[in-house]
Amino acid sequence: MARRTLISFSGGRTSAYMTKRLLDERQPGDEFLVVFANTGREHEETLRFVDRCDKAWGLNVAWVEAVTHEGRVACTHRLVDFATASRNGEPFEAVIAKYGIPNKVYPHCNRELKLNPIHDYVEAQGWEKGSYETAIGIRLDEADRMLADAKAQRLIYPLVRWGVRKPDVLGWFRKQPFDLYLEEENGNCVDCWKKSRRKLLTVAKKRPETFDWQARMEAAYPFSGANADGQPRRFHRQGWTTVDLKARARLPFEPFRDGNHVRDPELDDTDGCTESCDIYTPDLIDLMGRAA
Ligand code: SF4
């Protein structure tokens, strides 16, 4: 039976693998929408990778960016492409101006920068809610992140069904003519507040200027959005400002090397946040329906 599938392409290897394989295995009549939501804070190599995958494999990727509106109106989308995509955090800044700085207490950025613009795009294509499934790029080694009510929400996990783990994806890419030329700590938004402290410190040590944008956001929008305690909002856990983060990165620590450093709870824990920015993660589902 023909199926409709929405694929949220994150710009990482795992979702690239899933997207290609789903399209390779498509049956006559199957329909796909492949969407990449650009926040403006992705690394240039992520954007190049999305563009390369699209051109090499004919994915027909729709690049969307959030458009923020006044009042109780969720973000809609605008279409961009590799050439016109924002690279200075413009969609993200507009979301911050309205909803405030995102952090563990106010985790709205995925919802407003990805989920809502993607759904707005899908609706604009005439796909009604309930008429399609959404493929989520969670691998077998990450299966604990699958949602218990996935079936009710029409979420599918093809990589889990295929038994694909991280080494399978890496091994497959080693045989391809191109790869994602990016250190793991720079995936998703380069300065994502969900990342472990070790990853953030590593980014700050190698390229301190990466955090200039967040420093500007913390200075310009400390009280934007909801504010339960009257204190200025900050991105990072334990109330660290980006200035604190950059200062700590100048002290000795063992930088992030994927699976090759001695684990330290202080540096490697994420305080219950998943580092993932999938459009359906447990922490996002908690947030859906809450007033922003
Ligand atoms: S959760 Fe992280 S990666 Fe996702 S939109 Fe927010 S800052 Fe960016």
Side-chain angles (χ1 to χ4, degrees):
M1 196 177 81
R3 299 166 73 168
R4 279 179 162 177
T5 308
L6 164 65
I7 304 173
S8 167
F9 182 9
S10 71
R13 287 188 190 91
T14 296
S15 70
Y17 175 97
M18 179 185 76
T19 304
K20 172 144 177 42
R21 190 160 162 186
L22 279 173
L23 267 65
D24 284 351
E25 296 181 5
R26 72 199 302 169
Q27 299 295 313
D30 285 352
E31 296 178 78
F32 290 90
L33 289 178
V34 183
V35 190
F36 169 65
N38 180 44
T39 68
R41 292 301 298 155
E42 280 87 2
H43 196 285
E44 185 66 21
E45 282 301 329
T46 296
L47 304 185
R48 276 200 201 111
F49 181 68
V50 173
D51 193 46
R52 275 189 195 121
C53 292
D54 190 17
K55 288 181 174 143
W57 303 334
L59 304 179
N60 196 24
V61 177
W63 293 51
V64 303
E65 290 185 355
V67 178
T68 309
H69 304 276
E70 287 183 17
R72 294 179 67 84
V73 180
C75 283
T76 56
H77 80 284
R78 73 181 182 116
L79 286 170
V80 296
D81 56 25
F82 174 69
T84 60
S86 299
R87 282 155 165 93
N88 294 304
E90 296 89 336
F92 210 146
E93 181 167 357
V95 164
I96 287 173
K98 176 176 178 181
Y99 298 95
I101 288 171
N103 56 33
K104 188 169 186 273
V105 180
Y106 301 100
H108 54 261
C109 48
N110 175 303
R111 181 194 67 198
E112 294 304 330
L113 288 158
K114 297 190 177 182
L115 187 74
N116 286 338
I118 287 173
H119 282 170
D120 185 57
Y121 168 76
V122 169
E123 276 177 32
Q125 308 316 301
W127 285 23
E128 291 166 6
K129 199 174 176 189
S131 72
Y132 60 90
E133 295 176 318
T134 302
I136 306 295
I138 286 177
R139 301 181 304 262
L140 184 59
D141 51 303
E142 307 168 305
D144 58 339
R145 286 171 33 210
M146 292 164 61
L147 294 182
D149 64 343
K151 195 167 179 188
Q153 300 205 51
R154 306 207 67 191
L155 308 181
I156 57 171
Y157 299 95
L159 297 159
V160 174
R161 178 162 51 84
W162 296 328
V164 172
R165 299 171 187 270
K166 188 172 184 178
D168 301 317
V169 175
L170 296 176
W172 186 82
F173 263 103
R174 276 195 285 275
K175 295 182 207 145
Q176 304 310 309
F178 65 91
D179 200 346
L180 173 61
Y181 303 110
L182 191 64
E183 307 93 339
E184 182 175 324
E185 68 268 20
N186 283 310
N188 285 327
C189 292
V190 285
D191 42 14
C192 173
W193 54 271
K194 285 183 164 187
K195 291 178 183 174
S196 71
R197 188 164 284 174
R198 191 190 300 280
K199 282 186 180 174
L200 291 169
L201 289 172
T202 302
V203 174
K205 186 178 180 71
K206 291 184 183 171
R207 284 172 298 279
E209 68 280 6
T210 301
F211 289 90
D212 290 352
W213 181 83
Q214 283 194 344
R216 185 165 67 76
M217 295 301 106
E218 286 182 343
Y221 305 101
F223 296 105
S224 295
N227 195 316
D229 60 7
Q231 298 298 311
R233 274 163 64 168
R234 294 167 173 171
F235 286 95
H236 299 292
R237 290 186 287 275
Q238 296 173 354
W240 277 19
T241 65
T242 51
V243 174
D244 296 333
L245 187 73
K246 284 164 86 167
R248 176 63 180 80
R250 289 193 286 275
L251 301 177
F253 71 99
E254 191 182 356
F256 177 84
R257 288 190 303 275
D258 189 13
N260 290 316
H261 50 262
V262 179
R263 186 175 160 69
D264 174 343
E266 196 204 331
L267 291 181
D268 296 308
D269 279 358
T270 55
D271 293 339
C273 291
T274 163
E275 290 192 24
S276 154
C277 194
D278 295 322
I279 58 170
Y280 285 94
T281 54
D283 46 356
L284 177 64
I285 295 305
D286 287 348
L287 181 72
M288 285 169 70
R290 254 198 246 168

